[in-house]
Amino acid sequence: MLPHNSLVVFVALTLLSLPANVHSATVSSTVAQTFLGIGGSGAWWPHDLFDFPDSVRQNVSSLLFSESGLGLSSYRYNLGAGGVGVSNPVRAPQTPYVSPGVYNFSADPQGTYFLQQASDFGVPGITMFLNSAPAPLTSNKASCAGQFVTGDGPAYATYIVDVAEHWREAGINISYISAMNEPDSSFGPMPCGQEGMLVEPNQRAEVVSSLWNELNSQGLTSAIGILADETSQTSVAPAEYPDWLPNVGDMVAHLVHHAYDFPSDANYLAYVNAAHAASNGKTTWMSEICCSLGTPAGTGRGYSQGFDPTHVDYINNALMFSGLVFQSFVIGGEAHYDFWTLLSNAIGCEPLSSSTCATTANSNGWTDGMIYYDPDYATNGNHELYLVKHFWTYKHFGNFVKPGTQRHPVTGSDANEYTLVVSNSTTYSVIAMNPNATASTILLTFPETICSTTGFRTSASEDFSTIAKATGSGSSWSLPLSATSLSTYVFNRGVC
Ligand SMILES: *[C@@H]1O[C@H](CO)[C@@H](O)[C@H](O)[C@H]1NC(C)=O
Ligand SMILES: *[C@@H]1O[C@H](CO)[C@@H](O)[C@H](O)[C@H]1NC(C)=O
Ligand SMILES: *[C@@H]1O[C@H](CO)[C@@H](O)[C@H](O)[C@H]1NC(C)=O
Ligand SMILES: *[C@@H]1O[C@H](CO)[C@@H](O)[C@H](O)[C@H]1NC(C)=O
Ligand SMILES: *[C@@H]1O[C@H](CO)[C@@H](O)[C@H](O)[C@H]1NC(C)=O
């Protein structure tokens, strides 16, 4: 038996020898937001991928929409405007619009193919979004560089709702419409790099109310929600809300924004608060982001060119993007997150001439994809898909932040924004990021007895690899986080 004093010394030494990077925190029993979706857009890669061999197209659909892949619960179908004035054919989707009330639903077979795929895989949240009205309905009769024509709202809305209704009757549940993606730019001058249509803030109410009236007349207001206004920057949107939102706020399902200003946490929260104040508490959604370099902890964020699967190490930039998701969910309290293009040909190098092309940073490409493909596929026949680390990190959110799951805030002086706890009726899942170059552990106290079941980790050397489950018992569990990694630990509600 140890003398009393030795025991005290032993205990003290044990406490002192705990690594400094052990963080304790408490999981709240009170839930915050209920999640609605994790997704991305079908722009502009369907134009190319439609031409790939069917086995590869099937693989793409499975990588995006099945649980063995990203498990996306949201897909944004880009309803094309015909590409008039757009120089890049990949970014010039056809439109079914022929003339008022006359449609060619065989148009844009590329976009509608992957729309059908999303539906066939059971993606629950399908949004139809438009960068521009069809050329005949814009100020300059082109699909970019022009402006929404005041008074054309009803014609624009009839077209949009007719198209949505066509696909719904074909069994594809389009459940949201966004009629003005980035209305703050026309994307001119011509020739343009993409479709776009300026909708001045004081024109946006007409777009929303016309859409609502048309949905109402077709009996679809409860089936299809209106998303607006997809302004590209959180710093710009609140100043514009007074110009359009007051009269149409009740017609909007969710206030939807992009975040190309890459706001700080304080500014993100300020945006969400301003949006709530301007709309009687409407929920906000993050519906488009891409194209930033930067470190896991978030320094260096900002819209910029550069393909970065690696950035020093084959994980860092993917963790930076994960940090943006945590920011939206944990800081902003938002319920839905969409990345931008999902697939991209902006790899910035030639994969057939360099075996390290797809895994090495370069300044010619863009970080706007989770899966890359060869821009020269049509001439060199290369139909390979190149998954970057962003695919594996986004999979944690796609697989576990399912519609209907709820967030439990994590509290305590040691808590940080990179710990996301969600639950459903049977399960708790903890998605936790360690942006640091040294390993750490989080000790979590849950509001009830749970039982650790499994874990998954993405790190420099692992792609959603199965790892040892969390250790502990009852309501107290220890979750190891290896250096620069994203982990998910899963628990059953109830005793082991
Ligand atoms: C409809 O669009 C398809 C695909 O572009 C095209 O082949 C076809 O000719 C169009 N039909 C009409 C009637 O314009
Ligand atoms: C579309 O929604 C209806 C009604 O909610 C549902 O019964 C049907 O299964 C859905 N179809 C698909 C393909 O998800
Ligand atoms: C799908 O593509 C990925 C990435 O290139 C590849 O690892 C996988 O083997 C492919 N799966 C099938 C079934 O082709
Ligand atoms: C709860 O979440 C777990 C983990 O994602 C999932 O396997 C399970 O099917 C979900 N249960 C329900 C009832 O949705
Ligand atoms: C990473 O390092 C920062 C700064 O030292 C620290 O506050 C944070 O808790 C660390 N995060 C993890 C997960 O270890």
Side-chain angles (χ1 to χ4, degrees):
M1 191 179 145
L2 287 166
H4 182 71
N5 280 355
S6 309
L7 184 60
V8 170
V9 169
F10 173 76
V11 169
L13 281 176
T14 307
L15 287 174
L16 283 174
S17 65
L18 269 178
N21 41 7
V22 173
H23 307 287
S24 303
T26 302
V27 177
S28 174
S29 59
T30 311
V31 293
Q33 74 266 37
T34 300
F35 288 102
L36 295 167
I38 301 280
S41 290
W44 291 285
W45 54 269
H47 176 274
D48 291 335
L49 269 293
F50 182 70
D51 290 339
F52 279 43
D54 195 52
S55 60
V56 182
R57 302 195 304 191
Q58 286 302 315
N59 196 13
V60 167
S61 300
S62 167
L63 288 168
L64 296 179
F65 305 130
S66 76
E67 288 307 297
S68 62
L70 293 176
L72 298 183
S73 49
S74 158
Y75 182 67
R76 289 166 55 84
Y77 161 62
N78 179 206
L79 176 57
V84 179
V86 177
S87 56
N88 183 347
V90 177
R91 299 180 175 193
Q94 295 176 340
T95 173
Y97 184 89
V98 177
S99 60
V102 181
Y103 307 110
N104 175 6
F105 287 112
S106 303
D108 189 24
Q110 302 91 344
T112 57
Y113 173 84
F114 286 101
L115 169 65
Q116 181 77 57
Q117 289 289 304
S119 178
D120 290 350
F121 274 83
V123 173
I126 298 183
T127 296
M128 188 169 83
F129 79 95
L130 298 89
N131 290 316
S132 169
L137 294 182
T138 67
S139 64
N140 62 345
K141 309 297 178 210
S143 315
C144 65
Q147 187 172 342
F148 174 73
V149 178
T150 297
D152 273 3
Y156 187 37
T158 299
Y159 156 67
I160 296 171
V161 177
D162 282 352
V163 174
E165 181 60 359
H166 168 82
W167 292 115
R168 286 181 62 87
E169 280 170 2
I172 298 173
N173 281 346
I174 290 170
S175 44
Y176 294 102
I177 292 174
S178 172
M180 40 185 175
N181 190 59
E182 299 196 345
D184 38 2
S185 173
S186 73
F187 288 90
M190 287 198 278
C192 311
Q194 66 164 86
E195 295 186 337
M197 173 177 71
L198 180 69
V199 189
E200 295 281 9
N202 65 14
Q203 296 182 304
R204 294 177 198 170
E206 181 186 337
V207 173
V208 173
S209 62
S210 300
L211 203 46
W212 198 89
N213 289 340
E214 186 62 30
L215 288 169
N216 194 34
S217 75
Q218 298 202 29
L220 289 168
T221 48
S222 59
I224 298 181
I226 296 173
L227 305 181
D229 61 355
E230 303 221 45
T231 292
S232 55
Q233 306 202 8
T234 60
S235 57
V236 171
E240 297 176 343
Y241 287 152
D243 293 331
W244 66 272
L245 191 53
N247 295 326
V248 299
D250 291 346
M251 302 173 185
V252 173
H254 305 281
L255 275 181
V256 173
H257 67 94
H258 302 175
Y260 285 109
D261 47 337
F262 293 88
S264 66
D265 285 353
N267 288 347
Y268 205 104
L269 185 57
Y271 162 74
V272 170
N273 288 337
H276 288 170
S279 66
N280 274 324
K282 276 286 159 193
T283 47
T284 64
W285 274 17
M286 218 309 292
S287 61
E288 190 187 312
I289 195 72
C290 74
C291 311
S292 174
L293 304 179
T295 68
T299 55
R301 286 177 186 164
Y303 186 78
S304 79
Q305 190 168 3
F307 169 66
D308 187 1
T310 66
H311 209 64
V312 181
D313 187 358
Y314 192 34
I315 179 83
N316 284 358
N317 186 262
L319 292 186
M320 189 285 294
F321 271 99
S322 301
L324 298 177
V325 185
F326 284 106
Q327 182 186 55
S328 168
F329 290 165
V330 176
I331 304 295
E334 296 183 315
H336 184 112
Y337 198 92
D338 292 305
F339 187 72
W340 177 216
T341 67
L342 298 172
L343 274 78
S344 171
N345 63 7
I347 194 164
C349 53
E350 291 177 17
L352 286 190
S353 9
S354 158
S355 61
T356 55
C357 157
T359 53
T360 309
N362 70 61
S363 56
N364 298 325
W366 291 83
T367 305
D368 60 354
M370 301 192 173
I371 303 172
Y372 284 80
Y373 61 92
D374 191 333
D376 299 324
Y377 74 92
T379 47
N380 66 19
N382 178 17
H383 295 119
E384 190 73 28
L385 302 174
Y386 302 97
L387 273 53
V388 291
K389 203 58 105 174
H390 306 66
F391 176 91
W392 299 106
T393 49
Y394 206 48
K395 177 173 167 62
H396 288 259
F397 300 100
N399 279 195
F400 293 102
V401 186
K402 289 296 182 189
T405 59
Q406 296 179 303
R407 183 173 73 90
H408 294 254
V410 179
T411 61
S413 58
D414 239 7
N416 70 61
E417 72 177 286
Y418 302 134
T419 307
L420 174 66
V421 180
V422 303
S423 74
N424 63 16
S425 60
T426 60
T427 307
Y428 272 89
S429 305
V430 179
I431 304 180
M433 178 166 95
N434 180 1
N436 302 329
T438 49
S440 64
T441 298
I442 43 177
L443 302 176
L444 287 180
T445 303
F446 288 81
E448 62 192 277
T449 294
I450 58 174
C451 182
S452 178
T453 58
T454 184
F456 304 93
R457 183 165 60 221
T458 300
S459 66
S461 59
E462 297 158 305
D463 294 333
F464 205 80
S465 302
T466 300
I467 55 170
K469 60 191 182 181
T471 55
S473 63
S475 59
S476 299
W477 296 87
S478 172
L479 291 64
L481 306 181
S482 63
T484 50
S485 68
L486 184 69
S487 304
T488 300
Y489 287 100
V490 186
F491 304 85
N492 284 337
R493 299 180 84 148
V495 293
C496 287

